[in-house]
Every structure is written in structure tokens, then in C-alpha cells.
Amino acid sequence: MTALRGADIFCRSLAAAGLRRVFALSGNHIMPLYDAAIEAKLSITHVRYEGAAVHMADAWARLTGQPGIVWLTGGPGHANGVGALYTALAAESPLVLVSGHAPLNELGRGAFQEMRQADIAAPLCKASWTVARAEDMGADIAKACRIARSGRPGPVHLSLPADLLDAKLDNGEGFIASAADFRAVEQGLDDKTCAALLAQLQGAARPLILLSPVMSQAPLAGLVKPLTAATGVPALVMESPRGVNDPSLGAFAGVLAKADLIVLVGKQPDFTLKFAKAPAVAADCRFVVIDPDAEVLQRSLGNIGTARVALSAQADTAAAVHKLTAAAAAKHANRQWADTVTAAVAYRPPAWKDIDSDKSSGGSGPVHPVELGRAVQAVLSAAPEAVFVADGGEIGQWAQACISAPLRVINGVGGSIGSGIPFAFAARMARSSATVIAVMGDGSAGFHLMEFDTAVREGVPMVVVVGNDTCWNAEYQIQLRSYGKERAHGLELQATRYDQVAAALGGHGELVTRAAELKPALERALASGKPACVNVMIQRIAAPTVTLPA
């Protein structure tokens, strides 16, 4: 028998499951994990702020299909990381936040950084608890990963008391979890429900299949087109906080309002679908609702109204998509409707092609966001493998309207900002041969700018394009719309040289003030082989709402 600490059991269980990448910020309570990581051969990425580690694990999970693993220390370290869980929860991203914790034998006595950590994290997680015994270290991390990946994926929190990490067990190897213990539990769609659903599609004139954010993640994104091909029904992933006005879906709102049947597979009829009410959705439109979560399923039925629901069932999103794709016997007959939806989603105003800020400004700038998107798209389109990251308010929406790539990571339904730099870092780690370009605003860039230091230390090249309009523009636009220009205040920023900050941290920096400078600046940034910031002075304008001409 080999004596192992709780920390050894924990780390070796992760290694047994192949989960060797950890995003972390150190602290007193988790130093036994750092020590145990050596024998377990775990790789630790040490960040500059706890929230960044959570965002990195989030992006890692979306791009690899593995649960992202985060280690933070207890008390304030835990508190600093918790806020980032909301973005992962809304994006259906499976990760496990592991926090050190005050020793169990000191609780209630004023222990160092004593905090009810599991209670604090619980509203932002699928599950949250504190390990009770050193013997449970392996079983609990396996359970946490299993919960994170099962049903509707999402974050889970686990607190590890410091005394349990140091506790030694003579038969420690017997408590190491196996890879099988980490596997997700699948909840499939039964044959009868599948057949009934396909019959509903065949009987509809203008059907749509709307999918939850999990279907945008790398391991599953490739299933969407086959679903459309097999059923003949347009299938779309909705993952934007702008909902029906998601600029990446073009003029989708116009065709959504005409649908006579909407199949929701994991997709909730929440604010992003205007709660399924008219005029966003036709009052007589019928619904099929498939959801992995019983409570959410009932809430969805309540939002829609049971009289409009033709069919409902509980099943995992990906499992339902697999089943429908395999079972669909023939394409839907209404090819014209499918073509109409495809054209609406692809539509962008023709006038965008003629935007030329150099010409209109006499070469003095600033750059129009469409021109920024056009230049980034040209780079991504030329790359053998590419990941596009979008962050921020108005510039984030412009970017999503103008840029596409085989893989993308966005701030998601949660509508947070500031995650873009950690997302880009983790994307480049997950896809080491990919060209990774993140587009964000100057407000968003300020959240985690110091993670350029992490990227330099780790030797992770990615390009961060900052659309700099010297303003918190999303909120500025709200002030203009709601209160008028004379009452717009408190949202100004400086024309900060974010490019110089990146360079000072060991990266590469470029300043762009005119559209003609965009392409060469992006090329130099990529050629540098360093983490790079391209700081682009852009026009302060509202994000687009794309509609088809009347």
C-alpha cells in the first residue's frame, strides 16, 4: 500500500481521466495541489487574475469537449473567480472550479479566509459542495466533471479543505478515480418521441429548428449542417445576448416571425426569443420543446403556453440532434422556405460593401467597424485553421455581423464583457496550429489586459484586435436612445495605447488610425509570433440591426 495525500488522490484522478491542463492562480490553501501536480504530470497555467482562469477554462471546454479545470485559493481568491461562472453557465460550458478552503478542523473558530464558498458559488453552478473526507477527493472530482458534462452542460464548484489536502491515507491508491468515473450520463430521445417530432416537421409549412449554445461548441458544431440536410429544415444555433437580433444571424428575425412550427432543442424560449410572444413569433406558431432539464422544460412550457405546444420531452440536446439526424427519412418538401431562411441569415446590407472611411475622411480616420471586420475576415479566411473570438458591446456585435470562422467563442447569452483575452489565450492553447483572432472593445480590453503577461510567459501567440472608440459605447448608445445626447455622460475613456501595453509586457503592438493600415498591421502581428495587440481607432457608432429591405 502507498500512502498518498488527499492532494495526490485528487491530482492523480484528474490525470487518470486525461484532464492534465489546469488554469490556476495560486494561494495558501491550494499549494498541496501544486506539489501533487508534479508526480501527476499536470500542466498548470498560472494567470494574473482569478476570473481570467475561469474564462480560460470556459473556452478550453468549448473548444475541446473536455471539462475545463480551474484551481483557485480560498476566500477572496474564490470570490474573485465566481463572477466568471455566469458566462460559462449561460454558454452551457462544462468546467469545474476547484477552490481551496479553510481547514475543516478550524471552521467556526475564525479560520484564515473562512467563507461559505459552496453557498456563494451555488447560484452560478449546476452543483456546488465542499469535500468532506480525504478519501472522497477522487470520487468528488469525478462526480463534479460528470455533472458538468451531463444533461445541460455547465460549471460545477468544488471546495477542498486544506487539512484534507494534506491528510495522508495509507491505502491512497485505492481512492484514485478511474476515467470511467468521469464520463457523462446520457439522456437520449426515445424512438416514439423522435418519430412524432419528425411527423410534426413534415406537417409544417415553415418549420425551424433552434438549438442551444452547446451546439456551437467545437465537438458538436459539425452536427448542425447534417441535421438540416437530413430533415430539410433550417437548424440554427442561438447563443447571442442580442437574441433574435443577433447580427451573426443577419435578418433572421424576419423569418422567425413567419415560422409556423419551431422545434426547440435545448434552446429556451427566454428573453432571446422574446419569450415566444408575438410579434417576434407568430401568435399561432406551434412548438416542440426538447430539453435536458425537467425544471427548465416546465418553465419553457409556461413561457410558451401549453396550448401552443404540440410535443415536449426531456432529452439531452446533442443526443436529440444525433437521433433526429439518423432517423430523418427524407428531406422536407418546402425547399423554398429553407432557401428563404438561408438567404435571410446570410443577408447583410449591400451598402456595407461601399464603406470607405479613408475616402470619406480624407485619409484621417477613424475606421468604420465594417472595415475592421472586413480585414479580419480576410486573414481568417486565408488561414488553414482559424478561431474567431468576439467580446464587447457594440464592436462585438459588429464583429459578429462581419466575421465568421470554422470555430468561434463569444461572450454568449450571459451578455458579459471582458472575457475576450482569456478566451483567445485558451483557444490558442486548445488549437495550437490555429490562427486565433479576438475582436473586442476598449472597455472589454481593460478587464484582463495583464493576461498578455501570461501569454508571453507561456509562449502563446494570438492576435487581439481592440476597436478603440474611447468610450463604453454600448451604454453610451443607451443614453443617446433613452435620454438624449445632452444627458450622455460618465462613459468616456482615454485613447489608451493598448498596443504599447502589450508590447511592454513582451508582446507585439500595432496602432491603426486609418483603414489602409489594417491589413499590414494584422500581417505584422501574425508574423511576430508573439501575443499581439492591434489597437484600432474606430468610429463611435451603434451596433447594427440587420433587416431585409421592405
Side-chain angles (χ1 to χ4, degrees), residues 151-178:
R152 172 174 280 107
V156 172
H157 168 253
L158 204 57
S159 270
L160 310 183
D163 52 344
L164 300 187
L165 289 173
D166 277 327
K168 288 187 177 181
L169 300 173
D170 289 337
N171 58 340
E173 288 185 349
F175 296 106
I176 297 172
S178 69

Side-chain angles (χ1 to χ4, degrees), residues 58 62 86-93 153 213-214 216-217 410-414:
D58 177 357
R62 297 195 216 180
Y86 182 73
T87 298
L89 183 68
E92 303 182 0
S93 183
V214 72
S216 69
Q217 296 172 19
I410 69 169
N411 56 351
V413 178

Side-chain angles (χ1 to χ4, degrees), residues 258-317:
K258 298 175 182 177
D260 63 349
L261 176 72
I262 297 175
V263 178
L264 301 176
V265 185
K267 174 67 190 131
Q268 301 179 51
D270 53 16
F271 76 98
T272 63
L273 273 176
K274 307 291 186 182
F275 303 102
K277 304 303 182 187
V281 178
D284 59 352
C285 179
R286 291 173 63 76
F287 286 82
V288 172
V289 185
I290 309 295
D291 199 275
D293 186 282
E295 183 178 343
V296 174
L297 178 60
Q298 290 306 308
R299 185 178 70 193
S300 296
L301 299 180
N303 281 348
I304 295 167
T306 54
R308 300 169 70 198
V309 178
L311 178 68
S312 66
Q314 189 174 346
D316 293 348
T317 303

Side-chain angles (χ1 to χ4, degrees), residues 79-402:
N80 284 345
V82 163
L85 291 173
Y86 182 73
T87 298
L89 183 68
E92 303 182 0
S93 183
L95 65 85
V96 178
L97 168 59
V98 176
S99 299
H101 189 276
L104 291 182
N105 59 18
E106 296 180 4
L107 294 185
R109 300 166 57 196
F112 175 58
Q113 296 183 341
E114 181 177 345
M115 181 185 288
R116 292 168 57 185
Q117 295 178 183
D119 291 343
I120 290 170
L124 302 175
C125 294
K126 293 183 66 179
S128 180
W129 72 95
T130 302
V131 176
R133 304 185 311 159
E135 294 94 323
D136 297 333
M137 286 287 177
D140 277 10
I141 184 56
K143 177 183 176 183
C145 289
R146 193 165 61 244
I147 293 172
R149 301 174 74 181
S150 301
R152 172 174 280 107
V156 172
H157 168 253
L158 204 57
S159 270
L160 310 183
D163 52 344
L164 300 187
L165 289 173
D166 277 327
K168 288 187 177 181
L169 300 173
D170 289 337
N171 58 340
E173 288 185 349
F175 296 106
I176 297 172
S178 69
D181 296 326
F182 286 76
R183 291 176 189 154
V185 178
E186 187 173 283
Q187 184 177 217
L189 186 68
D190 65 85
D191 292 343
K192 182 178 179 181
T193 302
C194 182
L197 196 163
L198 291 171
Q200 289 287 334
L201 290 175
Q202 291 294 327
R206 298 176 302 281
L208 289 172
I209 300 173
L210 302 183
L211 306 167
S212 71
V214 72
M215 295 306 299
S216 69
Q217 296 172 19
L220 301 175
L223 302 178
V224 179
K225 286 185 178 179
L227 175 63
T228 294
T231 61
V233 176
L236 301 167
V237 179
M238 296 190 69
E239 59 168 339
S240 168
R242 302 287 171 117
V244 298
N245 293 318
D246 176 359
S248 68
L249 294 180
F252 166 70
V255 293
L256 174 69
K258 298 175 182 177
D260 63 349
L261 176 72
I262 297 175
V263 178
L264 301 176
V265 185
K267 174 67 190 131
Q268 301 179 51
D270 53 16
F271 76 98
T272 63
L273 273 176
K274 307 291 186 182
F275 303 102
K277 304 303 182 187
V281 178
D284 59 352
C285 179
R286 291 173 63 76
F287 286 82
V288 172
V289 185
I290 309 295
D291 199 275
D293 186 282
E295 183 178 343
V296 174
L297 178 60
Q298 290 306 308
R299 185 178 70 193
S300 296
L301 299 180
N303 281 348
I304 295 167
T306 54
R308 300 169 70 198
V309 178
L311 178 68
S312 66
Q314 189 174 346
D316 293 348
T317 303
V321 168
H322 277 294
K323 184 81 171 186
L324 289 170
T325 303
K331 292 182 171 64
H332 191 271
N334 193 345
R335 186 69 252 173
Q336 183 179 357
W337 166 248
D339 290 343
T340 297
V341 174
T342 300
V345 171
Y347 178 80
R348 301 294 185 273
W352 287 9
K353 295 179 181 179
D354 299 324
I355 291 173
D356 186 340
S357 61
D358 283 349
K359 183 177 180 181
S360 60
S361 69
S364 62
V367 176
H368 193 287
V370 164
E371 296 173 298
L372 186 158
R374 192 186 298 155
V376 171
Q377 184 65 69
V379 172
L380 293 176
S381 296
E385 184 181 0
V387 181
F388 164 53
V389 175
D391 184 17
E394 304 305 274
I395 186 59
Q397 303 307 309
W398 277 110
Q400 290 172 57
C402 299

